[in-house]
Amino acid sequence: MQKSAKDYANTWVRPEIQALNAYPVPNAQGMLKLDAMESPYVWPADEHMQQAWQQALQAVAINRYPAADAQELKQKLRQAFAIGDHWEILLGNGSDEIIQLLALAVAGSGRSVLAPEPSFVMFKMIATFVGMDYIGVPLNTDFSLDLQSMLTQIRTHQPALIFLAQPNNPTGNLYGEAAIAEILQTAQGLVVLDEAYTAFTDADYLPWLEKYPNLVVMRTLSKVGLAGLRLGFLVGAPAWINEIEKLRLPYNINTLTQASAVLALNYFDILKEQCQQIRQQREILSQALIDLHPEIEVFASEANFILIRMAQAGVIFQKLKEKGVLIKCLDGAHPLLHNCLRISVSTAEENQIFLQAFASVLAQGD
Ligand code: PMP
């Protein structure tokens, strides 16, 4: 009998890939979107920026490949993030792509990736993509690092790569400097500090590059208002970055992204101010959630989202969805996330809409 496409795919796609579910992105059309830690602020912020952006885009030669080394953009990033000239920068199509490049660079038989759990799901998924073993080290129940367990696992498995998201997604907390320093001293492999949410915290590990030759720092423009551009970057010693650079596909940062990001970084102060607003709103929203119902557990956050735990989280999530509010339900994603929901912090107005919807869902349930 003629073999079907499914027969062929089943034969050839690796079993561990067949066992995966693709990264889930729900349809959010027409909804208040509080599920993905995006900025609520429309870009560009005003008429003047709108014109400047249009001009920048008009100057782009779409018939040509993008600038492969993206020097202008890297220069802007250096200025915006105070990155010293002795560090190299690698650009990725989102920091997701950088995670993949890092994994590709070190993948090999018997090589492993280690990360605390729960954390950003792509650390594990990408380890699987590239055929590496993945070691997830459970956080403590308060989501702090279980440092002893981390150190033991690091000594046992000698992972090639360790990912630490600071602040962590989806828990929102920082792991603390002393714990990170011990991990850096114990690890023989590369430690990646993923600072995707750095705009919402005072923690800043870029200066640590001076101290630790096995450290690189990863950041993204996604959370500061430019998620659609897909631009992540990795900062580190040339010895690391130049090797990983070899794996980067040519022209991975398209022309429109390069031109738009260069322009946006000219207005970086405006984006930073918006992040400050979100920080303030985070405190207001956290308090409002605490006040809303005594049984909602609200975890302190250093990021642009808040994790909460409450009975029947899955039902609450569905009811909010029916009311046009999309948040993230993490119940079932990891044992430590039982009954947990994650809410992106938005503007005062949108947070209010969310709170009202939430209050009315809770009132229905009583
Ligand atoms: N790291 C962390 C901790 C994240 O939460 C995310 C996105 N949610 C990313 C990296 C990836 O971000 P991006 O690919 O948009 O740069």
Side-chain angles (χ1 to χ4, degrees):
M1 211 182 52
Q2 174 80 22
K3 281 212 284 184
S4 68
K6 195 165 182 354
D7 295 328
Y8 282 106
N10 283 346
T11 308
W12 290 105
V13 176
R14 287 182 281 139
E16 64 270 29
I17 302 300
Q18 291 191 44
L20 285 177
N21 291 316
Y23 185 83
V25 180
N27 180 1
Q29 202 157 19
M31 303 192 84
L32 173 55
K33 194 169 182 311
L34 304 177
D35 65 325
M37 290 82 93
E38 293 142 319
S39 167
Y41 296 104
V42 173
W43 165 265
D46 60 31
E47 187 72 12
H48 164 74
M49 284 157 73
Q50 173 74 37
Q51 274 176 13
W53 190 32
Q54 264 167 15
Q55 268 172 16
L57 291 182
Q58 269 160 15
V60 162
I62 286 289
N63 58 319
R64 301 290 175 197
Y65 284 112
D69 56 2
Q71 278 310 331
E72 191 185 3
L73 175 51
K74 285 186 188 171
Q75 202 47 42
K76 288 279 175 207
L77 288 169
R78 279 190 194 281
Q79 284 162 8
F81 294 93
I83 300 166
D85 281 340
H86 52 307
W87 304 124
E88 273 301 337
I89 301 176
L90 171 98
L91 301 180
N93 192 329
S95 40
D96 287 342
E97 191 190 31
I98 295 177
I99 300 169
Q100 191 166 49
L101 294 176
L102 285 161
L104 279 171
V106 299
S109 106
R111 302 272 182 104
S112 60
V113 173
L114 181 144
E117 270 190 0
S119 190
F120 183 41
V121 290
M122 292 314 288
F123 300 151
K124 181 177 182 178
M125 284 185 78
I126 286 174
T128 308
F129 294 174
V130 302
M132 292 179 84
D133 293 333
Y134 169 80
I135 300 136
V137 183
L139 294 169
N140 293 316
T141 48
D142 65 355
F143 302 134
S144 60
L145 269 188
D146 182 344
L147 184 59
Q148 283 325 310
S149 176
M150 283 289 288
L151 297 179
T152 307
Q153 298 286 357
I154 290 169
R155 288 195 188 100
T156 309
H157 297 282
Q158 297 289 352
L161 260 186
I162 298 174
F163 287 103
L164 300 173
Q166 269 283 99
N168 187 36
N169 168 20
T171 57
N173 58 311
L174 294 165
Y175 293 139
E177 292 190 359
I180 292 179
E182 249 189 281
I183 290 170
L184 278 159
Q185 277 152 17
T186 306
Q188 297 298 310
L190 180 63
V191 178
V192 184
L193 277 176
D194 178 352
E195 294 191 321
Y197 301 97
T198 188
F200 310 99
T201 174
D202 293 335
D204 173 4
Y205 284 85
L206 269 180
W208 284 39
L209 289 173
E210 305 286 352
K211 278 189 280 184
Y212 297 101
N214 58 339
L215 171 66
V216 288
V217 174
M218 189 170 72
R219 293 194 175 175
T220 177
L221 296 189
S222 293
K223 314 300 172 184
V224 301
L226 303 168
L229 292 185
R230 305 303 296 127
L231 189 73
F233 58 102
L234 186 72
V235 185
W240 280 113
I241 303 292
N242 293 343
E243 291 304 323
I244 299 154
E245 187 68 36
K246 294 176 191 169
L247 292 151
R248 188 178 61 80
L249 293 178
Y251 318 119
N252 65 330
I253 312 299
N254 74 71
T255 328
L256 297 177
T257 292
Q258 290 194 32
S260 303
V262 165
L263 195 271
L265 289 168
N266 288 338
Y267 299 95
F268 194 56
D269 286 346
I270 294 177
L271 297 178
K272 278 207 289 204
E273 171 52 30
Q274 292 173 346
C275 294
Q276 282 305 113
Q277 298 285 330
I278 296 291
R279 261 177 101 157
Q280 282 172 17
Q281 287 304 319
R282 174 181 75 206
E283 302 315 312
I284 296 168
L285 181 57
S286 294
Q287 191 54 50
L289 286 164
I290 291 166
D291 295 341
L292 194 60
H293 201 283
E295 276 162 33
I296 303 177
E297 191 178 355
V298 181
F299 295 95
S301 171
E302 293 274 334
N304 63 343
F305 57 85
I306 299 170
L307 188 77
I308 64 173
R309 176 179 281 131
M310 60 187 304
Q312 298 222 289
V315 177
I316 304 279
F317 166 78
Q318 271 308 332
K319 286 190 175 169
L320 276 169
K321 204 167 156 189
E322 283 156 24
K323 288 187 175 293
V325 178
L326 186 66
I327 60 170
K328 178 90 175 173
C329 181
L330 292 158
D331 188 45
H334 189 276
L336 286 169
L337 295 173
H338 177 58
N339 266 336
C340 282
L341 300 169
R342 190 190 63 200
I343 305 121
S344 309
V345 178
S346 187
T347 56
E349 297 73 33
E350 288 196 354
N351 293 339
Q352 212 45 48
I353 298 171
F354 158 70
L355 281 168
Q356 271 161 16
F358 199 1
S360 82
V361 163
L362 291 178
Q364 273 172 29
D366 287 342

